[in-house]
Amino acid sequence: MSAIVPRSDFSLLSANPALVYLDSAATAQKPRAVLDAMNDFYETDYANPHRGAYALSARATERYARAREAVARFFGVRDEACVIFTRGTTDSLNVVAAAWGRANIGAGDEVIVTGAEHHANFVPWQQIAIERGAIFTICPLTADGRADVEVLAALVSEKTKVIAFNHVSNVLGAINPVAEIAAIARSVGALSVCDGAQGAPHMAVSFDALDVDIYAASAHKMLGPMGTGVLIGRREILDAMPPYQTGGDMIAFVGDEQTTWNVLPHRLEAGTPNVAGAVGLAAACDYLTAIGMDAVAAHERALVKVAHERVSAIEGVRVHGPSAAERSGVLSFTVADIHPHDLATLLDERSICIRAGHHCAQPLMRRLGVTATARASFYVYNDENDVEQLVEALKSAKRLFAVA
Amino acid sequence: MSAIVPRSDFSLLSANPALVYLDSAATAQKPRAVLDAMNDFYETDYANPHRGAYALSARATERYARAREAVARFFGVRDEACVIFTRGTTDSLNVVAAAWGRANIGAGDEVIVTGAEHHANFVPWQQIAIERGAIFTICPLTADGRADVEVLAALVSEKTKVIAFNHVSNVLGAINPVAEIAAIARSVGALSVCDGAQGAPHMAVSFDALDVDIYAASAHKMLGPMGTGVLIGRREILDAMPPYQTGGDMIAFVGDEQTTWNVLPHRLEAGTPNVAGAVGLAAACDYLTAIGMDAVAAHERALVKVAHERVSAIEGVRVHGPSAAERSGVLSFTVADIHPHDLATLLDERSICIRAGHHCAQPLMRRLGVTATARASFYVYNDENDVEQLVEALKSAKRLFAVA
Amino acid sequence: MTDTSALYQEVILDHNRRPRNYCAMADATIEERGVNPLCGDELTLYLRMDGDRIADASFQGSGCAISRASASMMTSIVKGKTRAEADALIEQFRGMATGQTVLDDLPPTLRVFAGVARLPQRVKCAVLPWHALHSALTGGTGSTAV
Amino acid sequence: MTDTSALYQEVILDHNRRPRNYCAMADATIEERGVNPLCGDELTLYLRMDGDRIADASFQGSGCAISRASASMMTSIVKGKTRAEADALIEQFRGMATGQTVLDDLPPTLRVFAGVARLPQRVKCAVLPWHALHSALTGGTGSTAV
Ligand SMILES: Cc1ncc(COP(=O)(O)O)c(C=O)c1O
Ligand SMILES: Cc1ncc(COP(=O)(O)O)c(C=O)c1O
């Protein structure tokens, strides 16, 4: 398998031909098209949108609206006012936990998350449950790391107000049955919140078809800029949700004693919006669409299949999570007695970038019975040679530690 | 007065030589140095900071740390862990109102803002006061639009928990006596919160010397990128403040039932940070420091002085706010019966960008007895010719409306 | 940047200076407030319905020349029209203001607003009164934002 | 990207495989937990003080080769040292790990960690046990984060 995009699209990668970047689940490298789009906005149409009464500002406003359209299209959202630009997945999920949670979760209610959540989809729910006096329940996982929907279906009750779960686990690459979980949530009138940070970058997402109430993602993991993300929600939910932040652009009328709110998407976007970020994310969406999200998913599946086979063939290696056919391009593993941090440092010596640690998923680490794993993750610019180098480097690390 | 920086530093301005950009109080144009710094980060050192165990990630972490140092230096903050990167001023102020406010404001307590606040420093306090059952008091203004410190000193009591005020009014350019207000707050043990969105871009700010508890600013108004801002606070305040958002990077340990927090600045920066934004803001700070903030302030004062004289000399024009000597580079005015929006459209015909409306300060509009004003604002790239063109265009607009 | 001279024509300037039907209406059967939260324009539209017909229309409020002239002309033109006729006018006016429809059906006096289509930031000013009229005729929320 | 071969020397690999003083201490007078929240390393340091002197030192926990070897060597070296002597060692070790100080005063065995200074992302691993020791000797919070 060669990469499905030219390495030369990515300045950093083409400037470092020997670099084996296997940490895209943490953050993805940027194609020139994304940086160009942002620069072009700053150099051609830059002004504060919404507020100015001159053509330059109208152009900036237009850019922002076009970006929202492109992002809505990418995420399969027909009602584009339901695409809210945020700072990232963490921001999106905190908005829902705080604004929706405070208004809808009461004492004795129940909030459910899975045991495989990233801290961003775990701690906000844990904390709002504590604040509201609600019960915080952690849904157990299947052996391969997905939410156990049978247990979940038995767990829920009329008291359940929220089920928060990942689309794809950032540690295991395990893909959750989103529609099934959403249906369970719906059956008891609970809000279904899908953390799409590892979903949107790697597979076609149609929000309208997934039937979840809330979907969140980060631009920087899908070839877009840092500091931008989306919160997508069904209109009834977002319309009824109290604003999370207040300030400019999101108000209708500010009285000395009371304030009324603007309509969606504005009422959930207080302050000067990050138009450049939205433009960058839209460019990333367009770039991915041009490749085709099915091609992206197939490429990653092919790479992770080879990696899974070759890495698990090394003696002493334990690969966590589902079989290669059922995972997105993420491979977490541990190698005998070698601590993942040492592994990462040894691989770094060979210009191979992997991540080591708890991956912001300490609850999952406890459930896997480890304190840390090593993780290699693949994206559009990776190829089979990257896998080859990973495997060689792991073998070499084993030799070094064994000799000692 | 010529501009104090070459117009060619700004791609948008040099590509549009006829453009008279007089809306920098809404947002400032970007020097190439700022865009270059962000591109360079993306193309050279891009990775997720903090989390990776490889050299590229270490370089990204380093970039982020260096950016924080540069920003801390610019704002005169010795303890750089007290510089928190946010999405912008609106975000910073909402963090304080929600996280500090919820923990410290109780029923019957008092929250004071001034009548000249931007919605970003008005609505969050109004809303938290409503939520907590506290009294919301609007401090009256002097005739020229500053907080009336004599009245304020008489207003405050042991019940006063917060005094929120702008450094500089975005409508009037009036400069508040920050140290005096901070001292009044201190005298009753209230938190002093200074909205520096219009302060930091235009004059030297030394947080440590100002002696306020909290200072907030937006990168995009000070030549930096959109989507980035700072929340600066005294360590005791920030250390005691509950986290506003939770998720990755800001935790120490995530248990199934309880979570403990990381230290500053991390505990107030949940999720993947916007390193590119921080790098861009740092570059803007360096660019401004190279000019010298005193030179920036002097240049704006000189321009606004001429503009004030020439514009107020036009019959039927009313200029709001203080005398030219006491204001930063902002001029709000109304022209006889011509609605500010019409004025802005007519000026736009001549490539002059001014802003018209309530400027996100509806409470101030009521106090000025107007529904909208026209506003011209100046920055480093403006020159006397810009003022000239503004004056000519205003005269021409008057002629058009008078002929009717 | 944009050619606005075509927009600020004599007729608009005149309606702005001397708006027609600019008064509260004591016997109004519908009262609808329209606001543009982004620019602060606001107006109150008064209608007296006589069955299916708009017997009288007036407005008050603060806004720019464009919204004022638009409200002034609109209240003059819809007087005596049926709901269906007013609906058709609303649709045509909106179409013109957003640059989408041909103008053939629209009363010539209203065509002075065609220039606003080139000024996206001012479209809402022109449309605000029409938006309020639409809201008033379809149940009316008492207050609508454009 | 970086030359780490110098860091993973035989002595570190050996201390990692067979850490010295790796056990809980029933009669410890000070127990201090050290954690690196970013990477998840954690250790518990046990000290038995005899007046001003560290009579015994041991540790337990989970961490990488670097932090384990560092803790192993540290607990061996500080045994029998006075507070002042331990303080001096702490300062010197930190200086070396962050690439700031000359090594002359540092016991040669500890110098194997000099290579960590070139790996900012691993400095905290090497320093974690020393950080916990410092905390333990200066009052001790029971738990410190590096
Ligand atoms: C599954 C998952 N959820 C949430 C996040 C948080 O995203 P961000 O740090 O961009 O806010 C991440 C990545 O860090 C993730 O992998
Ligand atoms: C005085 C003042 N405060 C707050 C803000 C809000 O800043 P931002 O929109 O960047 O969050 C602004 C600018 O819009 C302002 O001028």
mmCIF file with all atom_site columns, all heavy atoms in Angstrom, chain A residues 5 30 34 38 73 80-81 85 102 114 123 139 151 169 252 280 313 316-317 348 352 369 384 402:
data_model
loop_
_atom_site.group_PDB
_atom_site.id
_atom_site.type_symbol
_atom_site.label_atom_id
_atom_site.label_alt_id
_atom_site.label_comp_id
_atom_site.label_asym_id
_atom_site.label_entity_id
_atom_site.label_seq_id
_atom_site.pdbx_PDB_ins_code
_atom_site.Cartn_x
_atom_site.Cartn_y
_atom_site.Cartn_z
_atom_site.occupancy
_atom_site.B_iso_or_equiv
_atom_site.pdbx_formal_charge
_atom_site.auth_seq_id
_atom_site.auth_comp_id
_atom_site.auth_asym_id
_atom_site.auth_atom_id
_atom_site.pdbx_PDB_model_num
ATOM 1   N N   . VAL A 1 5   ? -2.449  9.945   -0.686 1.00 0.00 ? 5   VAL A N   1
ATOM 2   C CA  . VAL A 1 5   ? -2.250  11.352  -1.076 1.00 0.00 ? 5   VAL A CA  1
ATOM 3   C C   . VAL A 1 5   ? -0.762  11.551  -1.253 1.00 0.00 ? 5   VAL A C   1
ATOM 4   O O   . VAL A 1 5   ? 0.039   10.854  -0.633 1.00 0.00 ? 5   VAL A O   1
ATOM 5   C CB  . VAL A 1 5   ? -2.782  12.328  -0.005 1.00 0.00 ? 5   VAL A CB  1
ATOM 6   C CG1 . VAL A 1 5   ? -4.295  12.232  0.105  1.00 0.00 ? 5   VAL A CG1 1
ATOM 7   C CG2 . VAL A 1 5   ? -2.125  12.085  1.339  1.00 0.00 ? 5   VAL A CG2 1
ATOM 8   N N   . LYS A 1 30  ? -0.820  18.807  8.314  1.00 0.00 ? 30  LYS A N   1
ATOM 9   C CA  . LYS A 1 30  ? -1.697  19.685  7.520  1.00 0.00 ? 30  LYS A CA  1
ATOM 10  C C   . LYS A 1 30  ? -1.303  19.725  6.056  1.00 0.00 ? 30  LYS A C   1
ATOM 11  O O   . LYS A 1 30  ? -0.156  20.030  5.740  1.00 0.00 ? 30  LYS A O   1
ATOM 12  C CB  . LYS A 1 30  ? -1.625  21.131  8.041  1.00 0.00 ? 30  LYS A CB  1
ATOM 13  C CG  . LYS A 1 30  ? -1.759  21.291  9.543  1.00 0.00 ? 30  LYS A CG  1
ATOM 14  C CD  . LYS A 1 30  ? -2.994  20.639  10.110 1.00 0.00 ? 30  LYS A CD  1
ATOM 15  C CE  . LYS A 1 30  ? -2.951  20.557  11.618 1.00 0.00 ? 30  LYS A CE  1
ATOM 16  N NZ  . LYS A 1 30  ? -3.714  19.399  12.121 1.00 0.00 ? 30  LYS A NZ  1
ATOM 17  N N   . VAL A 1 34  ? -4.923  23.424  3.254  1.00 0.00 ? 34  VAL A N   1
ATOM 18  C CA  . VAL A 1 34  ? -5.549  23.955  4.468  1.00 0.00 ? 34  VAL A CA  1
ATOM 19  C C   . VAL A 1 34  ? -4.870  25.257  4.894  1.00 0.00 ? 34  VAL A C   1
ATOM 20  O O   . VAL A 1 34  ? -5.535  26.256  5.195  1.00 0.00 ? 34  VAL A O   1
ATOM 21  C CB  . VAL A 1 34  ? -5.512  22.901  5.599  1.00 0.00 ? 34  VAL A CB  1
ATOM 22  C CG1 . VAL A 1 34  ? -5.840  23.520  6.944  1.00 0.00 ? 34  VAL A CG1 1
ATOM 23  C CG2 . VAL A 1 34  ? -6.473  21.760  5.278  1.00 0.00 ? 34  VAL A CG2 1
ATOM 24  N N   . MET A 1 38  ? -6.433  29.317  4.814  1.00 0.00 ? 38  MET A N   1
ATOM 25  C CA  . MET A 1 38  ? -6.437  30.266  5.935  1.00 0.00 ? 38  MET A CA  1
ATOM 26  C C   . MET A 1 38  ? -5.652  31.528  5.589  1.00 0.00 ? 38  MET A C   1
ATOM 27  O O   . MET A 1 38  ? -6.098  32.643  5.847  1.00 0.00 ? 38  MET A O   1
ATOM 28  C CB  . MET A 1 38  ? -5.883  29.601  7.190  1.00 0.00 ? 38  MET A CB  1
ATOM 29  C CG  . MET A 1 38  ? -6.781  28.467  7.696  1.00 0.00 ? 38  MET A CG  1
ATOM 30  S SD  . MET A 1 38  ? -6.341  27.893  9.345  1.00 0.00 ? 38  MET A SD  1
ATOM 31  C CE  . MET A 1 38  ? -4.818  27.027  8.986  1.00 0.00 ? 38  MET A CE  1
ATOM 32  N N   . ARG A 1 73  ? -22.040 19.897  5.020  1.00 0.00 ? 73  ARG A N   1
ATOM 33  C CA  . ARG A 1 73  ? -22.082 18.905  3.951  1.00 0.00 ? 73  ARG A CA  1
ATOM 34  C C   . ARG A 1 73  ? -21.232 17.692  4.332  1.00 0.00 ? 73  ARG A C   1
ATOM 35  O O   . ARG A 1 73  ? -21.657 16.552  4.211  1.00 0.00 ? 73  ARG A O   1
ATOM 36  C CB  . ARG A 1 73  ? -21.541 19.550  2.667  1.00 0.00 ? 73  ARG A CB  1
ATOM 37  C CG  . ARG A 1 73  ? -22.140 19.046  1.393  1.00 0.00 ? 73  ARG A CG  1
ATOM 38  C CD  . ARG A 1 73  ? -21.969 20.050  0.241  1.00 0.00 ? 73  ARG A CD  1
ATOM 39  N NE  . ARG A 1 73  ? -20.663 20.668  0.191  1.00 0.00 ? 73  ARG A NE  1
ATOM 40  C CZ  . ARG A 1 73  ? -20.455 21.993  0.188  1.00 0.00 ? 73  ARG A CZ  1
ATOM 41  N NH1 . ARG A 1 73  ? -21.466 22.844  0.219  1.00 0.00 ? 73  ARG A NH1 1
ATOM 42  N NH2 . ARG A 1 73  ? -19.232 22.484  0.135  1.00 0.00 ? 73  ARG A NH2 1
ATOM 43  N N   . GLU A 1 80  ? -27.880 23.476  8.391  1.00 0.00 ? 80  GLU A N   1
ATOM 44  C CA  . GLU A 1 80  ? -26.508 23.878  8.704  1.00 0.00 ? 80  GLU A CA  1
ATOM 45  C C   . GLU A 1 80  ? -26.387 24.797  9.922  1.00 0.00 ? 80  GLU A C   1
ATOM 46  O O   . GLU A 1 80  ? -25.301 24.929  10.493 1.00 0.00 ? 80  GLU A O   1
ATOM 47  C CB  . GLU A 1 80  ? -25.842 24.520  7.480  1.00 0.00 ? 80  GLU A CB  1
ATOM 48  C CG  . GLU A 1 80  ? -26.377 25.873  7.157  1.00 0.00 ? 80  GLU A CG  1
ATOM 49  C CD  . GLU A 1 80  ? -26.272 26.198  5.676  1.00 0.00 ? 80  GLU A CD  1
ATOM 50  O OE1 . GLU A 1 80  ? -26.259 25.276  4.849  1.00 0.00 ? 80  GLU A OE1 1
ATOM 51  O OE2 . GLU A 1 80  ? -26.225 27.386  5.356  1.00 0.00 ? 80  GLU A OE2 1
ATOM 52  N N   . ALA A 1 81  ? -27.498 25.413  10.341 1.00 0.00 ? 81  ALA A N   1
ATOM 53  C CA  . ALA A 1 81  ? -27.460 26.230  11.560 1.00 0.00 ? 81  ALA A CA  1
ATOM 54  C C   . ALA A 1 81  ? -27.235 25.370  12.795 1.00 0.00 ? 81  ALA A C   1
ATOM 55  O O   . ALA A 1 81  ? -26.994 25.879  13.884 1.00 0.00 ? 81  ALA A O   1
ATOM 56  C CB  . ALA A 1 81  ? -28.755 27.030  11.709 1.00 0.00 ? 81  ALA A CB  1
ATOM 57  N N   . PHE A 1 85  ? -19.554 26.107  15.546 1.00 0.00 ? 85  PHE A N   1
ATOM 58  C CA  . PHE A 1 85  ? -18.091 26.054  15.610 1.00 0.00 ? 85  PHE A CA  1
ATOM 59  C C   . PHE A 1 85  ? -17.637 26.257  17.054 1.00 0.00 ? 85  PHE A C   1
ATOM 60  O O   . PHE A 1 85  ? -18.110 27.156  17.756 1.00 0.00 ? 85  PHE A O   1
ATOM 61  C CB  . PHE A 1 85  ? -17.463 27.110  14.698 1.00 0.00 ? 85  PHE A CB  1
ATOM 62  C CG  . PHE A 1 85  ? -17.550 26.747  13.247 1.00 0.00 ? 85  PHE A CG  1
ATOM 63  C CD1 . PHE A 1 85  ? -18.348 27.474  12.376 1.00 0.00 ? 85  PHE A CD1 1
ATOM 64  C CD2 . PHE A 1 85  ? -16.848 25.662  12.746 1.00 0.00 ? 85  PHE A CD2 1
ATOM 65  C CE1 . PHE A 1 85  ? -18.438 27.136  11.025 1.00 0.00 ? 85  PHE A CE1 1
ATOM 66  C CE2 . PHE A 1 85  ? -16.935 25.309  11.400 1.00 0.00 ? 85  PHE A CE2 1
ATOM 67  C CZ  . PHE A 1 85  ? -17.730 26.045  10.541 1.00 0.00 ? 85  PHE A CZ  1
ATOM 68  N N   . ARG A 1 102 ? -26.776 21.044  33.039 1.00 0.00 ? 102 ARG A N   1
ATOM 69  C CA  . ARG A 1 102 ? -27.291 21.809  34.179 1.00 0.00 ? 102 ARG A CA  1
ATOM 70  C C   . ARG A 1 102 ? -28.793 22.019  34.067 1.00 0.00 ? 102 ARG A C   1
ATOM 71  O O   . ARG A 1 102 ? -29.492 22.102  35.063 1.00 0.00 ? 102 ARG A O   1
ATOM 72  C CB  . ARG A 1 102 ? -26.569 23.147  34.262 1.00 0.00 ? 102 ARG A CB  1
ATOM 73  C CG  . ARG A 1 102 ? -25.937 23.343  35.608 1.00 0.00 ? 102 ARG A CG  1
ATOM 74  C CD  . ARG A 1 102 ? -25.040 24.562  35.703 1.00 0.00 ? 102 ARG A CD  1
ATOM 75  N NE  . ARG A 1 102 ? -23.714 24.153  36.089 1.00 0.00 ? 102 ARG A NE  1
ATOM 76  C CZ  . ARG A 1 102 ? -22.604 24.468  35.456 1.00 0.00 ? 102 ARG A CZ  1
ATOM 77  N NH1 . ARG A 1 102 ? -22.655 25.227  34.378 1.00 0.00 ? 102 ARG A NH1 1
ATOM 78  N NH2 . ARG A 1 102 ? -21.450 24.038  35.889 1.00 0.00 ? 102 ARG A NH2 1
ATOM 79  N N   . THR A 1 114 ? -19.171 5.244   28.688 1.00 0.00 ? 114 THR A N   1
ATOM 80  C CA  . THR A 1 114 ? -18.577 3.917   28.584 1.00 0.00 ? 114 THR A CA  1
ATOM 81  C C   . THR A 1 114 ? -17.202 3.921   29.244 1.00 0.00 ? 114 THR A C   1
ATOM 82  O O   . THR A 1 114 ? -16.634 4.982   29.518 1.00 0.00 ? 114 THR A O   1
ATOM 83  C CB  . THR A 1 114 ? -18.422 3.425   27.127 1.00 0.00 ? 114 THR A CB  1
ATOM 84  O OG1 . THR A 1 114 ? -17.158 3.859   26.625 1.00 0.00 ? 114 THR A OG1 1
ATOM 85  C CG2 . THR A 1 114 ? -19.544 3.931   26.243 1.00 0.00 ? 114 THR A CG2 1
ATOM 86  N N   . VAL A 1 123 ? -14.745 12.994  32.021 1.00 0.00 ? 123 VAL A N   1
ATOM 87  C CA  . VAL A 1 123 ? -14.686 13.889  33.185 1.00 0.00 ? 123 VAL A CA  1
ATOM 88  C C   . VAL A 1 123 ? -15.821 14.927  33.192 1.00 0.00 ? 123 VAL A C   1
ATOM 89  O O   . VAL A 1 123 ? -16.426 15.147  34.242 1.00 0.00 ? 123 VAL A O   1
ATOM 90  C CB  . VAL A 1 123 ? -13.295 14.556  33.295 1.00 0.00 ? 123 VAL A CB  1
ATOM 91  C CG1 . VAL A 1 123 ? -13.193 15.328  34.605 1.00 0.00 ? 123 VAL A CG1 1
ATOM 92  C CG2 . VAL A 1 123 ? -12.179 13.514  33.220 1.00 0.00 ? 123 VAL A CG2 1
ATOM 93  N N   . CYS A 1 139 ? -20.611 2.201   31.646 1.00 0.00 ? 139 CYS A N   1
ATOM 94  C CA  . CYS A 1 139 ? -21.063 1.023   30.907 1.00 0.00 ? 139 CYS A CA  1
ATOM 95  C C   . CYS A 1 139 ? -19.869 0.113   30.606 1.00 0.00 ? 139 CYS A C   1
ATOM 96  O O   . CYS A 1 139 ? -18.845 0.575   30.104 1.00 0.00 ? 139 CYS A O   1
ATOM 97  C CB  . CYS A 1 139 ? -21.737 1.468   29.608 1.00 0.00 ? 139 CYS A CB  1
ATOM 98  S SG  . CYS A 1 139 ? -22.180 0.089   28.537 1.00 0.00 ? 139 CYS A SG  1
ATOM 99  N N   . VAL A 1 151 ? -25.580 -5.135  27.780 1.00 0.00 ? 151 VAL A N   1
ATOM 100 C CA  . VAL A 1 151 ? -25.573 -4.628  29.154 1.00 0.00 ? 151 VAL A CA  1
ATOM 101 C C   . VAL A 1 151 ? -26.210 -3.245  29.205 1.00 0.00 ? 151 VAL A C   1
ATOM 102 O O   . VAL A 1 151 ? -27.016 -2.941  30.080 1.00 0.00 ? 151 VAL A O   1
ATOM 103 C CB  . VAL A 1 151 ? -24.137 -4.585  29.710 1.00 0.00 ? 151 VAL A CB  1
ATOM 104 C CG1 . VAL A 1 151 ? -24.129 -3.994  31.116 1.00 0.00 ? 151 VAL A CG1 1
ATOM 105 C CG2 . VAL A 1 151 ? -23.517 -5.979  29.701 1.00 0.00 ? 151 VAL A CG2 1
ATOM 106 N N   . SER A 1 169 ? -12.797 4.465   19.511 1.00 0.00 ? 169 SER A N   1
ATOM 107 C CA  . SER A 1 169 ? -11.891 4.628   20.648 1.00 0.00 ? 169 SER A CA  1
ATOM 108 C C   . SER A 1 169 ? -10.528 5.112   20.182 1.00 0.00 ? 169 SER A C   1
ATOM 109 O O   . SER A 1 169 ? -9.943  4.530   19.260 1.00 0.00 ? 169 SER A O   1
ATOM 110 C CB  . SER A 1 169 ? -11.736 3.304   21.382 1.00 0.00 ? 169 SER A CB  1
ATOM 111 O OG  . SER A 1 169 ? -10.533 3.294   22.128 1.00 0.00 ? 169 SER A OG  1
ATOM 112 N N   . ALA A 1 252 ? -30.000 38.971  21.339 1.00 0.00 ? 252 ALA A N   1
ATOM 113 C CA  . ALA A 1 252 ? -30.983 39.718  20.564 1.00 0.00 ? 252 ALA A CA  1
ATOM 114 C C   . ALA A 1 252 ? -31.095 41.119  21.162 1.00 0.00 ? 252 ALA A C   1
ATOM 115 O O   . ALA A 1 252 ? -30.955 42.116  20.480 1.00 0.00 ? 252 ALA A O   1
ATOM 116 C CB  . ALA A 1 252 ? -32.335 39.016  20.596 1.00 0.00 ? 252 ALA A CB  1
ATOM 117 N N   . GLY A 1 280 ? -10.295 26.947  7.505  1.00 0.00 ? 280 GLY A N   1
ATOM 118 C CA  . GLY A 1 280 ? -9.304  25.865  7.463  1.00 0.00 ? 280 GLY A CA  1
ATOM 119 C C   . GLY A 1 280 ? -9.969  24.495  7.576  1.00 0.00 ? 280 GLY A C   1
ATOM 120 O O   . GLY A 1 280 ? -9.622  23.562  6.844  1.00 0.00 ? 280 GLY A O   1
ATOM 121 N N   . ALA A 1 313 ? 2.836   -10.593 15.593 1.00 0.00 ? 313 ALA A N   1
ATOM 122 C CA  . ALA A 1 313 ? 3.708   -11.756 15.368 1.00 0.00 ? 313 ALA A CA  1
ATOM 123 C C   . ALA A 1 313 ? 5.008   -11.674 16.164 1.00 0.00 ? 313 ALA A C   1
ATOM 124 O O   . ALA A 1 313 ? 5.715   -12.665 16.332 1.00 0.00 ? 313 ALA A O   1
ATOM 125 C CB  . ALA A 1 313 ? 4.013   -11.895 13.875 1.00 0.00 ? 313 ALA A CB  1
ATOM 126 N N   . GLY A 1 316 ? 6.007   -11.652 22.600 1.00 0.00 ? 316 GLY A N   1
ATOM 127 C CA  . GLY A 1 316 ? 5.917   -10.783 23.772 1.00 0.00 ? 316 GLY A CA  1
ATOM 128 C C   . GLY A 1 316 ? 5.047   -9.560  23.558 1.00 0.00 ? 316 GLY A C   1
ATOM 129 O O   . GLY A 1 316 ? 4.798   -8.795  24.480 1.00 0.00 ? 316 GLY A O   1
ATOM 130 N N   . VAL A 1 317 ? 4.583   -9.366  22.330 1.00 0.00 ? 317 VAL A N   1
ATOM 131 C CA  . VAL A 1 317 ? 3.737   -8.207  22.050 1.00 0.00 ? 317 VAL A CA  1
ATOM 132 C C   . VAL A 1 317 ? 2.282   -8.547  22.312 1.00 0.00 ? 317 VAL A C   1
ATOM 133 O O   . VAL A 1 317 ? 1.801   -9.615  21.926 1.00 0.00 ? 317 VAL A O   1
ATOM 134 C CB  . VAL A 1 317 ? 3.888   -7.732  20.592 1.00 0.00 ? 317 VAL A CB  1
ATOM 135 C CG1 . VAL A 1 317 ? 2.755   -6.762  20.223 1.00 0.00 ? 317 VAL A CG1 1
ATOM 136 C CG2 . VAL A 1 317 ? 5.234   -7.069  20.377 1.00 0.00 ? 317 VAL A CG2 1
ATOM 137 N N   . ASP A 1 348 ? 11.827  6.899   18.421 1.00 0.00 ? 348 ASP A N   1
ATOM 138 C CA  . ASP A 1 348 ? 12.097  8.277   18.016 1.00 0.00 ? 348 ASP A CA  1
ATOM 139 C C   . ASP A 1 348 ? 13.515  8.402   17.462 1.00 0.00 ? 348 ASP A C   1
ATOM 140 O O   . ASP A 1 348 ? 13.773  9.179   16.545 1.00 0.00 ? 348 ASP A O   1
ATOM 141 C CB  . ASP A 1 348 ? 11.916  9.197   19.225 1.00 0.00 ? 348 ASP A CB  1
ATOM 142 C CG  . ASP A 1 348 ? 12.020  10.666  18.874 1.00 0.00 ? 348 ASP A CG  1
ATOM 143 O OD1 . ASP A 1 348 ? 11.595  11.041  17.755 1.00 0.00 ? 348 ASP A OD1 1
ATOM 144 O OD2 . ASP A 1 348 ? 12.519  11.444  19.698 1.00 0.00 ? 348 ASP A OD2 1
ATOM 145 N N   . ILE A 1 352 ? 10.708  7.582   14.132 1.00 0.00 ? 352 ILE A N   1
ATOM 146 C CA  . ILE A 1 352 ? 9.362   7.018   14.114 1.00 0.00 ? 352 ILE A CA  1
ATOM 147 C C   . ILE A 1 352 ? 8.586   7.626   15.284 1.00 0.00 ? 352 ILE A C   1
ATOM 148 O O   . ILE A 1 352 ? 8.988   7.512   16.431 1.00 0.00 ? 352 ILE A O   1
ATOM 149 C CB  . ILE A 1 352 ? 9.383   5.483   14.258 1.00 0.00 ? 352 ILE A CB  1
ATOM 150 C CG1 . ILE A 1 352 ? 10.227  4.872   13.133 1.00 0.00 ? 352 ILE A CG1 1
ATOM 151 C CG2 . ILE A 1 352 ? 7.970   4.916   14.272 1.00 0.00 ? 352 ILE A CG2 1
ATOM 152 C CD1 . ILE A 1 352 ? 10.500  3.395   13.321 1.00 0.00 ? 352 ILE A CD1 1
ATOM 153 N N   . GLY A 1 369 ? -6.038  -3.243  32.402 1.00 0.00 ? 369 GLY A N   1
ATOM 154 C CA  . GLY A 1 369 ? -5.047  -3.763  33.331 1.00 0.00 ? 369 GLY A CA  1
ATOM 155 C C   . GLY A 1 369 ? -3.631  -3.317  33.028 1.00 0.00 ? 369 GLY A C   1
ATOM 156 O O   . GLY A 1 369 ? -2.667  -4.025  33.296 1.00 0.00 ? 369 GLY A O   1
ATOM 157 N N   . GLU A 1 384 ? 2.914   1.405   3.502  1.00 0.00 ? 384 GLU A N   1
ATOM 158 C CA  . GLU A 1 384 ? 3.340   0.132   4.075  1.00 0.00 ? 384 GLU A CA  1
ATOM 159 C C   . GLU A 1 384 ? 4.779   0.187   4.586  1.00 0.00 ? 384 GLU A C   1
ATOM 160 O O   . GLU A 1 384 ? 5.145   -0.516  5.527  1.00 0.00 ? 384 GLU A O   1
ATOM 161 C CB  . GLU A 1 384 ? 3.174   -0.983  3.032  1.00 0.00 ? 384 GLU A CB  1
ATOM 162 C CG  . GLU A 1 384 ? 3.064   -2.342  3.684  1.00 0.00 ? 384 GLU A CG  1
ATOM 163 C CD  . GLU A 1 384 ? 2.483   -3.387  2.738  1.00 0.00 ? 384 GLU A CD  1
ATOM 164 O OE1 . GLU A 1 384 ? 1.835   -2.996  1.746  1.00 0.00 ? 384 GLU A OE1 1
ATOM 165 O OE2 . GLU A 1 384 ? 2.691   -4.581  3.006  1.00 0.00 ? 384 GLU A OE2 1
ATOM 166 N N   . ALA A 1 402 ? 16.513  -7.003  25.892 1.00 0.00 ? 402 ALA A N   1
ATOM 167 C CA  . ALA A 1 402 ? 16.774  -8.391  26.242 1.00 0.00 ? 402 ALA A CA  1
ATOM 168 C C   . ALA A 1 402 ? 18.238  -8.606  26.560 1.00 0.00 ? 402 ALA A C   1
ATOM 169 O O   . ALA A 1 402 ? 18.590  -9.384  27.445 1.00 0.00 ? 402 ALA A O   1
ATOM 170 C CB  . ALA A 1 402 ? 16.338  -9.313  25.107 1.00 0.00 ? 402 ALA A CB  1
#
